[in-house]
Amino acid sequence: MSTPESRRFAQPSAAEQAAVDAAIETRHSMRAFLPRAVPRETLEELLRVASRAPSGTNTQPWQVHVLTGAAKQRLSDRILAAYLDPEQNAAHKEEYAYYPQQWVSPYIDRRRKVGWDLYGLLDIAKTDKARMQQQHGRNYQFFDAPVGLIFTIDRLMQQGSWLDYGMFLQSVMVAARARGLHTCPQAAFTQFHRLIAEELRLAPEQMVVCGMALGYADPGAVENSLLTERAPVAEFARFIET
């Protein structure tokens, strides 16, 4: 019988290569999910697989808080209430800068395009601030996914561990796709890290990295038809041979 150990040095078959490629290429950020539960054993298995992500000297800096049912609803309700209240919203700030302080091309162009492409699908006009706020607020409901993940890291870990964390997050999303699930990684949760820490009783040394919605995507939701563009390889890669 084939085992992970016996497969370590084996040449992948064409079918195995295609399966890996498909899991990566079909990973898209979904913003509408079906009310279909994900078995706990499935969640445990995909997290086990994702834990094979590399990390410097095997530090494994990730901590995952898996929320379902009433626990997920309580967190969502609390954050959404703070988000919709202007005074409370203004009192909550991110602990770390996810985006640059100064935007330049091509990054600002890509950011604007994905935003307007999404709003266009949802028929939200550029002047409709109320609907924009409502749509952004869906982040805090995990887009109605049955599973909400909150990721934390020990505050003493440095930039290298955050690089490791990104590889772990990608592994979670790819492992989810291999099981017919979809995800949406969400930096929006970082603004409300204090509420998250209180609700989840996080230790003081734990810092919120991001959230993630996980479940079975709603194929009939128009927002899930959004397919973001990627730059061609020639635009971001240099091949140096001599």
Side-chain angles (χ1 to χ4, degrees):
M1 177 181 293
S2 176
T3 65
E5 183 65 27
S6 66
R7 293 197 302 267
R8 184 182 298 183
F9 301 106
Q11 182 67 27
S13 67
E16 289 172 325
Q17 177 183 324
V20 173
D21 288 352
I24 295 172
E25 292 183 327
T26 62
R27 185 221 59 80
H28 307 300
S29 293
M30 296 295 174
R31 295 175 175 85
F33 290 83
L34 298 172
R36 177 182 171 188
V38 180
R40 176 166 175 167
E41 54 267 29
T42 299
L43 296 171
E44 292 181 350
E45 179 66 9
L46 74 86
L47 289 172
R48 183 194 66 78
V49 170
S51 74
R52 296 304 308 176
S55 60
T57 62
N58 199 33
T59 49
Q60 304 173 61
W62 39 81
Q63 295 290 328
V64 188
H65 310 267
V66 184
L67 304 173
T68 59
K72 181 176 72 72
Q73 193 62 53
R74 281 196 306 272
L75 180 65
S76 291
D77 290 346
R78 190 172 180 187
I79 295 178
L80 189 59
Y83 169 72
L84 293 175
D85 183 288
E87 186 174 345
Q88 288 193 61
N89 193 323
H92 290 277
K93 302 295 182 184
E94 295 85 352
E95 278 198 284
Y96 70 93
Y98 185 94
Y99 293 109
Q101 292 183 351
Q102 180 180 357
W103 286 95
V104 298
S105 184
Y107 314 113
I108 187 61
D109 308 312
R110 294 169 181 166
R111 176 182 172 88
R112 286 170 175 163
K113 178 171 173 38
V114 71
W116 294 127
D117 284 352
L118 174 62
Y119 290 150
L121 288 171
L122 295 170
D123 197 28
I124 299 176
K126 292 184 178 181
T127 56
D128 195 341
K129 303 301 182 183
R131 287 196 62 200
M132 288 182 187
Q133 182 188 41
Q134 182 183 42
Q135 176 60 30
H136 185 76
R138 284 184 47 71
N139 272 286
Y140 307 120
Q141 298 170 307
F142 295 97
F143 296 110
D144 296 326
V147 181
L149 305 176
I150 296 293
F151 299 92
T152 62
I153 190 171
D154 196 306
R155 293 178 184 280
L156 61 80
M157 304 308 277
Q158 296 296 313
Q159 190 171 7
S161 293
W162 285 72
L163 294 174
D164 298 339
Y165 218 120
M167 292 185 279
F168 172 71
L169 292 171
Q170 172 74 348
S171 296
V172 170
M173 292 183 281
V174 171
R177 284 302 302 124
R179 290 158 177 78
L181 298 162
H182 271 288
T183 55
C184 185
Q186 298 166 280
F189 280 98
T190 62
Q191 178 186 354
F192 299 98
H193 60 90
R194 288 191 288 109
L195 295 182
I196 293 171
E198 292 174 8
E199 190 66 32
L200 302 187
R201 299 184 179 88
L202 299 181
E205 62 269 18
Q206 288 295 301
M207 180 177 183
V208 174
V209 174
C210 67
M212 183 183 293
L214 185 150
Y216 295 95
D218 182 352
V222 66
E223 56 266 51
N224 286 344
S225 67
L226 177 65
L227 184 61
T228 55
E229 298 176 356
R230 292 295 187 270
V233 172
E235 189 173 315
F236 63 81
R238 295 174 62 209
F239 293 83
I240 304 170
E241 298 178 351
T242 58

